[in-house]
Amino acid sequence: MTKPHGSTSSQIKALAFDAYGTLFDVSSVSSCCEGHFPGKGAAISDAWRQKQLEYTWLCSLMERYVDFWELTSRSLRFACRAQGVEPGEEALVDMMESYLRLEPFQEVGAALESLSRSIPLVILSNGTPEMLLKVTRHNGFSGFFKEILSVHALSVYKPSPRVYQMAEESLGLPRRQIGFVSANGWDAAGGRAFGLHTFWINRFDRPRETLGYEPHLEISTLDDLEPLIR
Amino acid sequence: MTKPHGSTSSQIKALAFDAYGTLFDVSSVSSCCEGHFPGKGAAISDAWRQKQLEYTWLCSLMERYVDFWELTSRSLRFACRAQGVEPGEEALVDMMESYLRLEPFQEVGAALESLSRSIPLVILSNGTPEMLLKVTRHNGFSGFFKEILSVHALSVYKPSPRVYQMAEESLGLPRRQIGFVSANGWDAAGGRAFGLHTFWINRFDRPRETLGYEPHLEISTLDDLEPLIR
């Protein structure tokens, strides 16, 4: 754990986890992209993720919700276009399916197993219910979570306060007693603005967002959580 | 003009222009950034713009509006941090003020002058009224516009449909009779989703967005507009 910041975490009664980028490494699709477009895997994967996030924000603001699977597909097509390649249908399907088999970050499985023994855990994610079911099953994580909460039921993406409210409603706890764990700085800011007790996982020593909503605590990996919530 | 796409533009009775990136070259701040941080001007300028846009989307979705001047300042601080530099107060002020003296793209002055003789023009922008007033005055463009419309009155940013509706209300015209001109692909998509007649200026041969709302016409510069609206 690095750089503690803010209040203590002793009142936390449940943990809500972001999925993509927090539990699952979105860059693990890059080897699949690399297989289809040698020398461009990392660039496609990076552009894909950036555009995927942009499209969630834009669709929400336009009040034209499109589900995360479709946006993931559209952003992949943009990323390929931006890299000057035009994938065929088979390559597109293959790259999209790699999104259902994302690898977790190294410590995640053991940390979730351990945490789930002492406190209820849920996922709170932009993914569709089906995508989330598949990627958690693929990684053997299904049993760790009390519930998998998808924005799909609301037709709006993070960081809308309506999304964070879902955790409150589902867990039946006041927001300050819910620990929200995200490696996406903007998502941590959204959770904090709503009033969740927010942990920002900064695995790659990224600069802190300047949105105006600081996480309660900045940690390095999920391993830092266990001593905090006892 | 390149790649015509969609319906004709003969019914257009007024033009609404995006400001930043469309009339004014946001990358023209890079020389000022370069003066303060040699070798990093372009990188800071690019990250600044990207983060500025992200923050407009995020604040809007979080329902925590912060005005464009403040977001521009916050995103500049993030961009510097991401480049590993820590500007003093004086450098920050200087870089921020360069945003009030953005240079227009080369053809803009003459094209606006000519267009303004045949059709009403307005600006429809994320900027604060003060920022927009200053940058249009600095460039001698004030006389070309019937009105300068800022999202500030609504406390929400593009591409919220409420923003595009402002053009409709201000001009007193049905949306399909308003030509909306933006070089920002996502902004053109937002205008199109709302129902404006949308021109996407693609100056730098960028890939087309895959958001699902195609511009009515893709053009290269403002010079392409004149023959279209006659």
Side-chain angles (χ1 to χ4, degrees):
Chain A
M1 175 178 21
T2 55
K3 303 167 227 166
H5 206 265
S7 68
T8 61
S9 315
S10 57
Q11 298 205 323
I12 289 174
K13 301 279 195 293
L15 289 172
F17 290 86
D18 172 52
Y20 299 108
T22 298
L23 304 178
F24 306 112
D25 182 358
V26 291
S27 77
S28 61
V29 297
S30 67
S31 60
C32 178
C33 300
E34 180 71 19
H36 290 286
F37 301 107
K40 299 194 166 186
I44 290 172
S45 162
D46 288 351
W48 186 4
R49 172 62 172 169
Q50 174 65 31
K51 195 49 75 170
Q52 180 197 46
L53 290 176
E54 282 185 21
Y55 281 2
T56 61
W57 303 326
L58 291 166
C59 282
S60 298
L61 257 182
M62 287 161 70
E63 301 173 14
R64 303 278 188 142
Y65 178 78
V66 173
D67 80 35
F68 199 63
W69 181 251
E70 174 61 22
L71 284 192
T72 300
S73 169
R74 290 188 192 177
S75 52
L76 170 58
R77 276 179 280 140
F78 182 91
C80 290
R81 201 178 276 184
Q83 287 299 314
V85 299
E86 200 63 61
E89 195 52 32
E90 205 177 323
L92 280 173
V93 167
D94 189 48
M95 290 187 282
M96 282 298 290
E97 286 187 348
S98 71
Y99 223 87
L100 304 173
R101 297 183 306 267
L102 292 174
E103 292 163 22
F105 291 101
Q106 179 259 324
E107 86 286 6
V108 168
L112 289 177
E113 181 167 26
S114 172
L115 287 164
S116 69
R117 274 189 248 114
S118 52
I119 197 169
L121 312 183
V122 299
I123 282 178
L124 181 66
S125 167
N126 276 340
T128 63
E130 192 184 344
M131 290 171 80
L132 292 167
L133 204 65
K134 285 187 174 169
V135 74
T136 47
R137 256 190 209 156
H138 174 78
N139 285 291
F141 293 172
S142 311
F144 304 146
F145 296 103
K146 196 186 155 220
E147 203 157 359
I148 295 179
L149 303 170
S150 161
V151 304
H152 190 64
L154 304 172
S155 296
V156 72
Y157 287 102
K158 296 176 176 182
S160 165
R162 291 166 55 208
V163 175
Y164 305 105
Q165 194 172 6
M166 244 199 320
E168 199 180 41
E169 284 165 5
S170 162
L171 288 160
L173 290 169
R175 52 193 83 178
R176 68 191 152 70
Q177 291 182 7
I178 299 169
F180 176 58
V181 186
S182 182
N184 294 295
W186 58 270
D187 184 24
R192 175 70 202 251
F194 176 73
L196 299 174
H197 191 100
T198 304
F199 301 97
W200 176 41
I201 304 192
N202 187 9
R203 283 196 174 85
F204 305 110
D205 203 22
R206 295 224 173 95
R208 198 175 269 238
E209 296 290 342
T210 52
L211 259 168
Y213 299 94
E214 300 282 307
H216 288 87
L217 204 65
E218 179 178 332
I219 60 180
S220 299
T221 74
L222 257 58
D223 288 333
D224 297 330
L225 282 172
E226 181 104 33
L228 293 169
I229 57 139
R230 285 221 179 121
Chain B
M1 175 180 19
T2 55
K3 304 166 230 166
H5 205 265
S7 68
T8 60
S9 315
S10 58
Q11 296 205 323
I12 290 174
K13 300 279 195 294
L15 289 172
F17 290 86
D18 172 52
Y20 299 108
T22 298
L23 305 178
F24 307 112
D25 183 358
V26 291
S27 77
S28 61
V29 297
S30 66
S31 60
C32 178
C33 300
E34 179 72 19
H36 290 285
F37 301 106
K40 299 194 166 184
I44 291 172
S45 163
D46 287 350
W48 186 5
R49 172 62 172 170
Q50 174 65 29
K51 194 50 75 170
Q52 180 197 46
L53 290 176
E54 282 186 21
Y55 282 2
T56 62
W57 303 327
L58 291 166
C59 282
S60 298
L61 257 183
M62 287 162 71
E63 300 173 15
R64 302 278 188 143
Y65 178 77
V66 172
D67 80 36
F68 198 64
W69 181 251
E70 174 62 22
L71 283 192
T72 300
S73 169
R74 290 187 193 177
S75 52
L76 171 57
R77 275 179 280 142
F78 181 91
C80 290
R81 201 179 276 185
Q83 286 299 313
V85 298
E86 199 62 61
E89 194 53 31
E90 206 178 322
L92 280 172
V93 167
D94 189 48
M95 289 186 282
M96 282 297 290
E97 287 188 347
S98 71
Y99 224 87
L100 304 173
R101 298 183 305 268
L102 292 174
E103 293 163 21
F105 291 102
Q106 180 258 325
E107 87 285 7
V108 168
L112 290 177
E113 182 167 25
S114 172
L115 288 164
S116 69
R117 275 189 248 114
S118 51
I119 196 168
L121 312 182
V122 300
I123 282 178
L124 181 65
S125 166
N126 275 340
T128 64
E130 193 184 342
M131 289 171 81
L132 292 167
L133 203 64
K134 284 186 174 169
V135 73
T136 47
R137 257 191 208 155
H138 173 78
N139 285 291
F141 293 171
S142 311
F144 304 145
F145 296 103
K146 195 186 157 218
E147 203 158 358
I148 294 179
L149 304 170
S150 160
V151 303
H152 190 64
L154 304 171
S155 296
V156 73
Y157 287 102
K158 295 176 177 180
S160 164
R162 292 166 54 208
V163 174
Y164 305 104
Q165 193 172 7
M166 243 198 322
E168 198 179 44
E169 285 166 5
S170 162
L171 288 160
L173 289 169
R175 51 194 82 176
R176 69 189 153 71
Q177 291 182 7
I178 299 169
F180 177 58
V181 186
S182 182
N184 295 293
W186 58 271
D187 185 24
R192 175 70 201 252
F194 176 73
L196 299 174
H197 192 99
T198 303
F199 301 96
W200 177 41
I201 304 191
N202 188 9
R203 283 198 175 82
F204 305 110
D205 202 22
R206 295 222 173 96
R208 198 175 269 238
E209 296 290 343
T210 52
L211 259 167
Y213 300 93
E214 300 280 309
H216 288 87
L217 205 64
E218 179 178 331
I219 60 180
S220 300
T221 73
L222 258 58
D223 288 333
D224 297 330
L225 283 171
E226 182 103 33
L228 293 169
I229 57 137
R230 286 224 178 116

